[in-house]
Amino acid sequence: MTSAAVTVEDVRATYGTKAALDGVSLTIPRGSSFALLGPNGAGKTTLVNILCTLRRPDGGRAVVAGADVVRQPTKARRSIGVVFQDSSLDDRLSAWENLEFHGLVYGLAPKVRRERSAAVLALVELEDWRDEIVRSFSGGMRRRLEIARALLHEPEILFLDEPTVGLDAQTRQRIWQYLDQLRRERELTVLTTTHYIEEVESADMVCIIDHGKIIAQAPPDDLKAQYGTRWLHILPRDAAATAAILARYPNAQPLGSHSLALPADENAVTDAFLAEFRDSLSEVRFQEPTLESVFLSLTGRELRDRADGQRDAEKAAGKRGGRR
């Protein structure tokens, strides 16, 4: 992992008067696992779109697998595989037909298409459903097929934009097992954006972006050591207790709709809080430094501040049933 798979230099992007990316620079070593974390609207997807040649940067330079994404977009595309947050499969076609079409787009010879299609379907355990129409697939099966399709032309770099959103924990685990296997076998470089922070605890490098700027970048353990905070997670008994706690401790961070988190690195502060509000709490627990606490400390927002639409998608995926 001595050479760079991706190099980003002072990249800028705007939507009207809003800066989506404000001078972003980073380097991703070849064969590494790189995680890009940030709240909704932080600029993650914009950066991925630029690296995938779907959007031109308004300033700066990005190089993917040795190809400038603006001057050599075709060369860059041949070196990358992409799994988008929203499904891009043709659900009127079978799994095999989706792969066949992708192979044709990339100019793969018929024999190569057949061999690679069979191989990637076996990798994601979908060979028994190769001739089934995608419309009948569950959410997890579609995601696995999208990963298979992204790997068909044997890319050097795989971009994953929220690849496991809406999937159950078992399917998410299987997907990461596939990707870890490929990284070991082929030195595949993987860039991931995700709301599930536990999925990137083992990443080689974690980059946290907010308001279009990189605010921290290091291996997970280094981030925890430098920015991690011990938190006291509390569940007030009612709205009145929540209001009283927030008035007394304005640095408390909301977690979801009811819970709060207080920095708990100093025992004296924690003792004083519990002495004052113990009877107003339904639940109290400590959380040692994690990537989630790093994110919370740096951005003031919880990584799992997923939009209601995303939660609805997760519920829909669970209700849809179908094959697993």
Side-chain angles (χ1 to χ4, degrees), residues 86-99 101 129-139 141-143 145-146 149 320 323:
D86 297 320
S87 177
S88 57
L89 296 169
D90 190 328
D91 65 2
R92 298 165 298 179
L93 302 179
S94 69
W96 187 265
E97 288 168 336
N98 269 276
L99 296 177
F101 181 76
W129 291 276
R130 53 169 280 169
D131 296 319
E132 297 291 329
I133 300 301
V134 169
R135 185 171 295 167
S136 68
F137 283 14
S138 69
M141 292 174 69
R142 292 185 187 217
R143 255 308 180 242
L145 180 58
E146 286 184 292
R149 184 184 61 178
R320 193 160 41 233
R323 298 187 176 95

Side-chain angles (χ1 to χ4, degrees), residues 21 196 208 213 243 309-310:
L21 297 173
Y196 299 106
I208 298 176
K213 291 178 176 290
Q310 185 170 325

Side-chain angles (χ1 to χ4, degrees), residues 2-71:
T2 56
S3 58
V6 175
T7 302
V8 177
E9 300 173 349
D10 195 31
V11 163
R12 301 174 184 274
T14 59
Y15 294 97
T17 59
K18 176 177 173 56
L21 297 173
D22 189 6
V24 169
S25 297
L26 56 86
T27 300
I28 303 177
R30 191 176 305 277
S32 66
S33 172
F34 189 95
L36 189 63
L37 304 180
N40 294 323
K44 306 184 301 297
T45 296
T46 299
L47 179 56
V48 171
N49 285 343
I50 288 173
L51 296 177
C52 294
T53 76
L54 296 177
R55 187 199 194 285
R56 293 172 66 97
D58 296 315
R61 180 171 180 259
V63 177
V64 174
D68 187 292
V69 297
V70 174
R71 294 184 298 162

Side-chain angles (χ1 to χ4, degrees), residues 142-308:
R142 292 185 187 217
R143 255 308 180 242
R144 285 149 56 196
L145 180 58
E146 286 184 292
I147 290 172
R149 184 184 61 178
L151 296 169
L152 182 69
H153 59 287
E154 296 188 344
E156 297 178 39
I157 305 165
L158 184 63
F159 293 106
L160 306 171
D161 190 11
E162 304 286 356
T164 59
V165 64
L167 302 183
D168 60 85
Q170 182 181 17
T171 302
R172 297 205 309 267
Q173 183 181 28
R174 290 166 72 185
I175 285 174
W176 289 114
Q177 288 174 345
Y178 303 145
L179 296 175
D180 288 342
Q181 177 183 337
L182 284 173
R183 285 188 56 229
R184 291 193 302 270
E185 294 176 352
R186 288 177 31 193
E187 203 181 33
L188 179 72
T189 304
V190 179
L191 183 151
T192 307
T193 74
T194 181
H195 277 94
Y196 299 106
I197 200 164
E198 68 275 8
E199 294 182 339
V200 296
E201 286 277 356
S202 60
D204 298 312
M205 185 71 67
V206 172
C207 177
I208 298 176
I209 185 171
D210 198 13
H211 301 297
K213 291 178 176 290
I214 292 177
I215 57 177
Q217 181 177 327
D221 288 345
D222 291 355
L223 287 175
K224 294 175 192 177
Q226 184 172 0
Y227 301 106
T229 301
R230 188 176 187 239
W231 291 88
L232 182 66
H233 286 214
I234 58 176
L235 180 63
R237 289 187 181 279
D238 50 38
T242 299
I245 292 170
L246 289 173
R248 179 70 176 81
Y249 293 90
N251 62 337
Q253 302 291 339
L255 298 179
S257 57
H258 302 292
S259 300
L260 300 172
L262 286 171
D265 283 335
E266 298 182 15
N267 290 333
V269 174
T270 302
D271 291 344
F273 168 79
L274 292 175
E276 183 175 358
F277 290 102
R278 187 186 305 275
D279 294 337
S280 300
L281 307 176
S282 298
E283 181 181 325
V284 179
R285 63 182 175 86
F286 286 99
Q287 184 182 59
E288 297 303 320
T290 61
L291 275 182
E292 189 104 30
S293 73
V294 169
F295 189 90
L296 192 60
S297 298
L298 290 171
T299 69
R301 288 181 277 178
E302 189 187 17
L303 185 60
R304 295 181 185 273
D305 63 350
R306 289 172 286 171
D308 290 339

